[in-house]
């Protein structure tokens, strides 16, 4: 996790599309394992995933991988997310991604689920289902 943590700590540069997709996939796999990610590591992972998801300079696939990582983070480490008070910032960033889709924009030939803003809305739904309202 050391190399991944260093990559996550470099907030100035997220990396190229392939690197971001790979880091998000690795972090997703680590989150699925018990004890592989400590609570202190949740905040940098969330920051990285949200920054990648909100970056309009990236291609579709790394942004989708980052949003999937956000959903996995909430699903597997919701206590740490709530305890560290990451939820307000996470919801604000997700809202930014959702609103970047352009309401009323003409649909491309891509299927609807490939749209980044629709995936962000799905992460919102995951948060609503998994995180208590208190």
């Amino acid at each position: 996790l050391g190399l991944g943590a260093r990559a996550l700590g470099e907030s100035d540069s997220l990396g190229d599309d392939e690197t971001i997709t790979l880091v998000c996939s690795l972090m997703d796999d680590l989150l699925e394992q018990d004890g592989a990610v400590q609570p202190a590591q949740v905040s940098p992972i969330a920051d990285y995933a949200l920054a990648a998801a909100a970056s309009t300079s990236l291609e579709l696939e790394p942004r989708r991988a980052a949003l999937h990582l956000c959903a996995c983070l909430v699903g597997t480490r919701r206590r740490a997310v709530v305890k560290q008070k990451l939820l307000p910032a996470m919801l604000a960033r997700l809202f930014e991604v959702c609103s970047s889709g352009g309401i009323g924009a003409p649909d491309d030939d891509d299927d609807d689920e490939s749209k980044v803003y629709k995936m962000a809305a799905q992460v919102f739904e995951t948060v609503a289902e998994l995180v208590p309202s208190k």
Side-chain angles (χ1 to χ4, degrees), residues 16-134:
D16 61 18
D17 290 359
E18 187 176 330
T19 302
I20 293 169
T21 304
L22 180 61
V23 167
C24 289
S25 176
L26 288 172
M27 290 296 144
D28 186 36
D29 290 344
L30 287 173
L31 285 170
E32 295 292 333
Q33 298 176 8
D34 288 334
V37 175
Q38 300 301 314
Q41 296 166 323
V42 170
S43 181
I45 292 171
D47 291 343
Y48 182 84
L50 291 166
S55 177
T56 56
S57 65
L58 296 175
E59 295 291 325
L60 180 65
E61 192 54 38
R63 293 180 75 194
R64 289 178 71 192
L67 286 168
H68 185 270
L69 179 58
C70 289
C72 185
L73 190 63
V74 170
T76 60
R77 300 292 189 269
R78 74 178 147 262
R79 277 190 183 157
V81 169
V82 171
K83 194 172 191 176
Q84 295 178 26
K85 298 179 177 22
L86 300 175
L87 214 48
M90 183 180 282
L91 293 175
R93 276 312 259 282
L94 287 171
F95 182 75
E96 287 176 23
V97 175
C98 282
S99 64
S100 71
I103 296 175
D107 254 351
D108 294 334
D109 290 338
D110 299 338
D111 62 324
D112 289 341
E113 288 188 1
S114 69
K115 305 277 186 211
V116 173
Y117 63 94
K118 290 195 179 201
M119 276 204 74
Q122 290 172 345
V123 176
F124 259 121
E125 182 178 4
T126 300
V127 170
E129 290 173 355
L130 297 177
V131 177
S133 62
K134 1 179 189 173

